[in-house]
Amino acid sequence: MDNVEKIKDRLNIVDVVGSYIKLEKAGLNLKACCPFHNEKTPSFFLSPTRGTFKCFGCGEGGDIFSFVEKYEGVDFKGALQILAEKAGVSLEKENPKKVDEKKRLYDVLEKATDYFENNLKRHKEVLKYLKNRGITDQIIKKFRLGFAEEGWQSLYLFLKQGKYSDAEMEKAGLVKKSEKGERVYDRFRNRIIFPLFDNSNRPVAFSGRFFGKDEKDGMVTAKYLNSPETILFSKSNILYGYNFAKMAIRKKNFSILVEGQMDLLMCHQAGYDNSVASSGTALSQGHLGLLKRLSNRVVVAFDGDKAGFISACRATKLALVEAMEVRLMNIPDGQDPADFILKNKGGWQKALKEAKHIVDFYLDKLISEIGDRRKLGQAVQEKVLPFVALIESEIEKANFVENIAEKLGVATKVIWIELNKINKEDFLSSTTPYLKQSLGEKLSSKDKKNKRQIILRQISGIYWWQKNLENPVLNLEEFSKEVREIIGEEVFEKIENLNDKIKNEIIFEVEILYGDFEDTDKKIRELFKNLKIELIDEKIKDIIIAQKKAEKAGDKEEVLKHLKNYDELSKQKNKLK
Ligand SMILES: [Zn+2]
């Protein structure tokens, strides 16, 4: 038995999910208000016999592992660790020494955090500084802020009493050896300490902000100093504040990304508890992956100066590549988010509400800065169009092109040509092989919102459910004939060849929806109708895009052809309705 099986064998889904949310009985199954989207009546179901869950509101579903991944905001490995602990399964059996070592490192980091926290209580001048910046006692306590004193070995000697070895302290990133290795000294000295936590709220690293004069013995001291990468800390996988923001990001369905620790603290203090900070390290794809797991939408709020804007552009680019929906907040010139939110909470709220897509943001910025039309055109071409090229949706892209053309006072055709130069391939492939997209593969968050995908899943579920019943209530032959007519033989074959795991999942889904056998026929009619409408809508979308392109190319014949097709499809759709 591998670890996953062992864990599944020892834990049942009712206990696991029940430890996070309140469950009610619903026949053979259990139900609850979904933890992954806001709702008042339960559409989240749990099957104890199958060991799976499914929400009919937002489409989330899976087993205990996917539940923990989603709920805790961790990846599969993280979920495995959490569940292994619950199940009492040891993952690193082959190397108990390593498990021990990790435990020691967590311990020493916890002790160090404690030590720094106590220091802060004694150093009133540091506390006063934090208070002056507007930080409250609660936030200091919650985020466990601390202070590293001036001496070279304060922490070192303290930990030494606790029987930690030099090697352990070094591995935890707390101390450094002098060049020749004869002396060990504290890495953080005279710094305000911001601990970075993992998903289980354990400190795994520190960021230290220099406190005091900026110069010392003629040497400029770095304003911020971070722990090095360790066994427990990898820069690209930890965002400051993420452990406290997970729930709120999911509930509010967006995250706010800031740069600095102070920004982050002020955001949380003001109730924007869905905020996280990249905190000194360069934002990575890994960071965005953490956010995307919880919500596809992110608002970037960086300093209102040139450097802040450059970082914001970089973050936006990364987010667009991840196909995230990203917007930028306009922070007043020369302010950072921390000042802004402290001095003008209403202004902050307004700026958040008015956060813009990068294309609009950049375009408006350039228009306000550059008077000369020719120069403006050039700047837009160089700076804004590459962002347009990164946008996935063709419709959205077309809207931006129109908007840019209008604001610059040039023909849309010109913009398309320039855009074409940036990303030609994208424009050549115009149609998506909708139905070929496989049914069974793991759905991306985008697909979950895709109606066609959901209907198709239900139809497949009904098919397999009835097929497995001793006395099916449906005439399966007729049913499958009709399905084949709508979706085509090729896709139907996919339904026939689904693997057992997915079959099980979809059968469970339809059992809940159709298991009472009430109005089954009517419900199925409705499904077929909706699927037909969806398929027509998708064709219509394609036609609109093709027609826009033909219009821009000045091809009247093509335009007419598309218009005719459009009319035809609209008629078909109305008939169905
Ligand atoms: Zn849900």
Side-chain angles (χ1 to χ4, degrees):
M1 239 198 284
D2 70 356
N3 282 330
V4 171
E5 281 173 66
K6 239 187 261 167
I7 290 168
K8 280 195 170 170
D9 201 48
R10 290 199 198 168
L11 298 175
N12 76 58
I13 192 160
V14 180
D15 292 337
V16 173
V17 175
S19 73
Y20 291 102
I21 56 176
K22 201 173 157 280
L23 299 165
E24 294 169 43
K25 268 210 125 2
L28 288 174
N29 301 307
L30 293 124
K31 64 180 178 180
C33 280
C34 177
F36 305 128
H37 81 282
N38 269 323
E39 64 175 8
K40 287 201 182 92
T41 47
S43 47
F44 177 95
F45 287 84
L46 208 70
S47 165
T49 48
R50 292 178 196 283
T52 53
F53 72 94
K54 174 76 191 174
C55 171
F56 293 94
C58 65
E60 284 301 335
D63 57 12
I64 46 175
F65 289 92
S66 23
F67 182 85
V68 171
E69 273 178 49
K70 190 85 191 155
Y71 197 94
E72 297 269 11
V74 295
D75 59 6
F76 179 77
K77 233 172 106 195
L80 188 65
Q81 263 160 10
I82 292 170
L83 287 170
E85 220 163 283
K86 270 193 214 268
V89 170
S90 161
L91 294 177
E92 289 169 83
K93 209 196 252 156
E94 70 286 359
N95 194 349
K97 235 173 130 186
K98 207 160 189 181
V99 181
D100 258 13
E101 187 188 12
K102 269 192 175 175
K103 205 185 156 291
R104 291 281 293 176
L105 294 190
Y106 279 123
D107 283 350
V108 74
L109 285 158
E110 174 62 35
K111 288 269 163 9
T113 307
D114 246 0
Y115 177 75
F116 291 141
E117 279 185 286
N118 282 324
N119 279 348
L120 180 61
K121 281 175 199 148
R122 283 186 288 112
H123 286 265
K124 301 290 176 214
E125 74 286 6
V126 188
L127 268 179
K128 202 176 144 205
Y129 166 82
L130 289 170
K131 294 274 166 65
N132 281 344
R133 293 224 44 186
I135 303 218
T136 62
D137 285 330
Q138 285 111 301
I139 287 288
I140 291 175
K141 207 170 154 201
K142 181 172 179 186
F143 285 82
R144 304 188 65 185
L145 303 192
F147 183 61
E149 289 171 320
E150 182 116 54
W152 288 87
Q153 291 193 317
S154 321
L155 177 68
Y156 174 74
L157 293 175
F158 172 78
L159 292 174
K160 206 75 190 160
Q161 287 169 15
K163 305 271 180 283
Y164 291 98
S165 70
D166 291 8
E168 280 170 338
M169 289 183 230
E170 204 185 351
K171 275 187 186 155
L174 294 168
V175 299
K176 272 165 99 171
K177 273 201 180 111
S178 63
E179 248 170 64
K180 284 181 189 147
E182 76 278 19
R183 230 187 120 173
V184 180
Y185 58 92
D186 294 355
R187 178 180 292 274
F188 297 98
R189 297 180 309 277
N190 203 18
R191 286 176 185 274
I192 300 175
I193 297 291
F194 302 86
L196 300 174
F197 303 97
D198 68 3
N199 274 314
S200 310
N201 298 335
R202 290 177 293 203
V204 289
F206 302 101
S207 180
R209 185 191 192 283
F210 189 73
F211 183 77
K213 277 179 285 169
D214 269 345
E215 265 170 312
K216 217 178 167 193
D217 307 328
M219 297 252 294
V220 178
T221 314
K223 194 171 167 197
Y224 282 97
L225 182 72
N226 292 317
S227 294
E229 301 234 332
T230 66
I231 308 174
L232 304 181
F233 171 56
S234 134
K235 280 179 191 162
S236 57
N237 285 325
I238 291 198
L239 283 163
Y240 187 48
Y242 185 76
N243 57 316
F244 296 124
K246 282 185 297 185
M247 274 304 236
I249 294 174
R250 195 181 300 112
K251 281 259 155 71
K252 294 177 180 170
N253 193 20
F254 76 98
S255 54
I256 300 175
L257 178 65
V258 295
E259 264 188 313
Q261 283 99 350
M262 284 293 182
D263 299 331
L264 186 279
L265 297 178
M266 294 311 293
C267 282
H268 275 253
Q269 191 170 301
Y272 298 92
D273 49 357
N274 52 336
S275 310
V276 295
S278 52
S279 153
T281 62
L283 193 72
S284 71
Q285 223 68 45
H287 291 140
L288 288 165
L290 289 174
L291 296 178
K292 200 179 168 179
R293 240 177 252 152
L294 304 173
S295 166
N296 198 40
R297 298 161 66 211
V298 54
V299 176
V300 175
F302 286 2
D303 289 2
D305 59 15
K306 208 172 164 195
F309 184 64
I310 290 169
S311 313
C313 284
R314 208 188 144 261
T316 304
K317 218 183 271 175
L318 285 176
L320 284 176
V321 171
E322 287 280 312
M324 291 175 82
E325 198 187 307
V326 51
R327 283 176 299 146
L328 256 65
M329 239 169 113
N330 191 15
I331 307 294
D333 228 355
Q335 283 191 35
D336 58 28
D339 299 329
F340 187 31
I341 204 166
L342 182 65
K343 287 177 195 150
N344 185 357
K345 200 174 164 188
W348 170 272
Q349 184 144 23
K350 189 162 169 276
L352 179 61
K353 229 171 111 190
E354 291 169 354
K356 285 182 197 165
H357 191 283
I358 179 78
V359 173
D360 291 325
F361 192 98
Y362 218 153
L363 187 63
D364 291 349
K365 184 176 154 70
L366 291 175
I367 289 173
S368 74
E369 283 170 1
I370 305 174
D372 183 84
R373 269 194 54 177
R374 204 180 55 83
K375 276 189 190 151
L376 176 63
Q378 218 166 15
V380 170
Q381 181 186 338
E382 274 168 26
K383 291 175 173 156
V384 182
L385 289 188
F387 282 107
V388 181
L390 280 180
I391 293 166
E392 268 207 346
S393 148
E394 290 288 330
I395 291 181
E396 215 185 323
K397 216 183 249 175
N399 286 335
F400 279 121
V401 167
E402 253 161 56
N403 191 17
I404 292 170
E406 200 187 300
K407 284 192 173 158
L408 292 184
V410 297
T412 47
K413 199 172 155 186
V414 178
I415 309 284
W416 278 112
I417 291 168
E418 290 305 326
L419 194 58
N420 240 332
K421 284 184 195 159
I422 295 170
N423 202 339
K424 242 174 185 166
E425 276 123 45
D426 257 23
F427 289 93
L428 294 175
S429 58
S430 56
T431 44
T432 333
Y434 294 117
L435 287 175
K436 281 189 189 162
Q437 270 173 28
S438 74
L439 274 158
E441 278 166 29
K442 216 172 170 190
L443 300 182
S444 74
S445 54
K446 230 162 77 195
D447 291 334
K448 275 173 201 147
K449 305 219 167 67
N450 182 322
K451 260 202 231 152
R452 168 183 45 79
Q453 202 76 284
I454 292 166
I455 299 171
L456 215 47
R457 215 174 143 92
Q458 273 185 30
I459 288 177
S460 324
I462 294 172
Y463 177 75
W464 280 110
W465 170 48
Q466 290 290 316
K467 217 172 163 168
N468 285 351
L469 285 182
E470 249 172 63
N471 304 305
V473 288
L474 284 182
N475 181 336
L476 259 179
E477 212 168 304
E478 257 174 46
F479 179 83
S480 47
K481 190 171 156 247
E482 184 148 12
V483 175
R484 284 208 298 271
E485 270 166 21
I486 302 174
I487 64 176
E489 294 293 339
E490 205 184 328
V491 180
F492 189 75
E493 216 167 280
K494 285 210 152 187
I495 297 181
E496 287 263 49
N497 293 323
L498 288 175
N499 70 40
D500 284 346
K501 185 172 169 277
I502 288 150
K503 259 190 238 169
N504 248 335
E505 262 173 40
I506 57 180
I507 292 173
F508 164 52
E509 287 169 31
V510 299
E511 268 174 3
I512 286 165
L513 288 172
Y514 300 85
D516 54 5
F517 296 106
E518 249 174 58
D519 301 325
T520 309
D521 252 2
K522 210 174 124 199
K523 283 182 192 164
I524 288 172
R525 287 284 115 226
E526 191 74 14
L527 263 187
F528 284 155
K529 190 184 88 183
N530 287 335
L531 181 59
K532 284 180 191 162
I533 291 176
E534 269 308 301
L535 290 175
I536 291 175
D537 273 345
E538 281 166 9
K539 280 188 198 152
I540 288 179
K541 266 188 213 159
D542 271 354
I543 288 176
I544 292 174
I545 292 167
Q547 189 209 324
K548 273 192 175 172
K549 279 188 185 164
E551 234 168 53
K552 265 140 218 166
D555 190 340
K556 280 186 189 145
E557 219 171 286
E558 273 291 300
V559 173
L560 272 177
K561 197 184 96 193
H562 291 315
L563 280 176
K564 231 173 114 189
N565 279 340
Y566 179 89
D567 277 348
E568 180 54 37
L569 287 170
S570 303
K571 265 182 218 152
Q572 281 180 25
K573 191 174 150 184
N574 282 336
K575 229 196 247 164
L576 280 169
K577 277 185 170 169

